[in-house]
Amino acid sequence: MARKKWPPPGYPVMEGDYALTATWAMYLPEQFARRVEDGSLVLWRPGLTIWLTAWNNDHAESQAKRLAWIKKTASPDRFAEQESKVGNTTRFSYRLREGNEDPEGVRRV
């Protein structure tokens, strides 16, 4: 099997401290390619893809109501769910197994 070309041509590559929003950042311990797809930030490298979405509370809904909506609309194939609440911030994450990548490592929907 041919090795995937990395980094993928035409995509910016991020590493180290990376600002997600004006107030949130994360540390990327190695190179990740970056793109925006379906309104989400997508960071990926061979073997790992991270989809990130940060929402504001524009309609003054409770965090519990918003979290329930997110869980209802999230993939039924999800596993390893985690949620946490610190102050006024709620975080929800889960994992998916996907095998439908092209040779450049870009997921096709």
Side-chain angles (χ1 to χ4, degrees), residues 52 80 84:
L52 298 161
S84 65

Side-chain angles (χ1 to χ4, degrees), residues 19-85:
L20 300 169
T21 70
T23 56
W24 286 28
M26 68 184 295
Y27 178 77
L28 300 171
E30 58 187 85
Q31 288 187 336
F32 282 78
R34 177 184 60 86
R35 71 180 187 271
V36 175
E37 188 173 323
D38 298 330
S40 295
L41 174 65
V42 182
L43 302 169
W44 82 97
R45 62 172 176 75
L48 178 64
T49 302
I50 303 168
W51 288 70
L52 298 161
T53 305
W55 287 290
N56 287 320
N57 192 358
D58 300 340
H59 302 291
E61 295 175 315
S62 72
Q63 289 186 18
K65 182 177 180 180
R66 291 167 55 106
L67 183 57
W69 173 80
I70 291 167
K71 287 181 176 183
K72 182 179 177 181
T73 59
S75 172
D77 297 329
R78 68 187 185 266
F79 66 98
E81 291 183 23
Q82 293 185 3
E83 62 181 82
S84 65
K85 183 174 180 180

